[in-house]
Amino acid sequence: MHEQPCLFIFVTASGMCRGIGELINGSIAAGWRTYTVATPNVAEIVAPDQLFAQPGVHWISGYEQPPLDVFPFGTMLVAPCTFNTFNKLAHGIADNLATSMLADALGAGCPMFVAPSMNPGLWNHPQTRESHQRLTTWGCSIIEPQISDTQVIMAPIATILSRIEQYLTSR
């Protein structure tokens, strides 16, 4: 049904979400059918309709939208991934559209990439370590963030796109 590779980009409410347009554009330029889904708190950072109103992207904002009638399929990417969503994924919490879709995709065996972005205290929290280990054990690919004394930010867009490309071309 879906000949071209499909990438679902799940955007969470990290300040890094403001620049997610570059990731979306890179996905579209690579020829991937691109779907985006935002967690509810993204609206606290940026207006989702501005973020996802780009030619070539398919924004899913409700449970009744296509392609949810045939989901799960494709490759999942959570970028940026906040502490909250990172730990929800590891605990199977599906309390909004994005986490419900991710839980479904994980259970169905869809490939999943996670690009964390959170403050250093949250990155060093014991639960983050446990969730990191659990998600890795479950087959999720964690795209390690850039870490300094004051920041833990999502990996560069080029790195994220390269990891997805490597996966898609190796299949």
Side-chain angles (χ1 to χ4, degrees):
M1 174 181 171
H2 299 278
E3 293 116 23
Q4 77 186 119
C6 293
L7 180 64
F8 286 81
I9 302 173
F10 296 86
V11 182
T12 71
S14 161
M16 294 296 294
C17 77
R18 289 182 192 97
I20 209 67
E22 181 184 347
L23 179 62
I24 293 168
N25 289 337
S27 174
I28 293 166
W32 307 329
R33 185 162 178 86
T34 303
Y35 298 93
T36 57
V37 183
T39 59
N41 288 340
V42 166
E44 301 292 325
I45 309 285
V46 66
D49 55 341
Q50 291 177 334
L51 194 63
F52 302 126
Q54 298 182 54
V57 70
H58 306 277
W59 180 25
I60 301 170
S61 60
Y63 287 97
E64 301 300 318
Q65 288 182 257
L68 296 184
D69 56 333
V70 293
F71 188 80
F73 64 90
T75 301
M76 310 296 125
L77 169 62
V78 188
C81 186
T82 60
F83 173 82
N84 189 44
T85 299
F86 195 76
N87 291 302
K88 283 182 179 183
L89 290 174
H91 285 88
I93 297 171
D95 63 351
N96 61 56
L97 177 63
T99 56
S100 294
M101 290 178 70
L102 288 162
D104 188 13
L106 188 59
C110 293
M112 189 170 299
F113 294 82
V114 181
S117 189
M118 58 191 78
N119 72 45
L122 295 175
W123 179 249
N124 292 316
H125 191 283
Q127 185 58 62
T128 303
R129 297 288 130 244
E130 288 181 26
S131 293
H132 190 293
Q133 182 178 5
R134 180 179 285 176
L135 291 170
T136 302
T137 300
W138 288 351
C140 295
S141 297
I142 309 299
I143 302 173
E144 296 297 328
Q146 297 177 309
I147 301 171
S148 73
D149 290 340
T150 58
Q151 296 181 353
V152 177
I153 59 172
M154 183 175 76
I157 301 294
T159 300
I160 295 169
L161 290 169
S162 175
R163 287 281 303 274
I164 303 289
E165 179 71 29
Q166 287 171 358
Y167 169 77
L168 291 173
T169 57
S170 71
R171 299 177 24 191

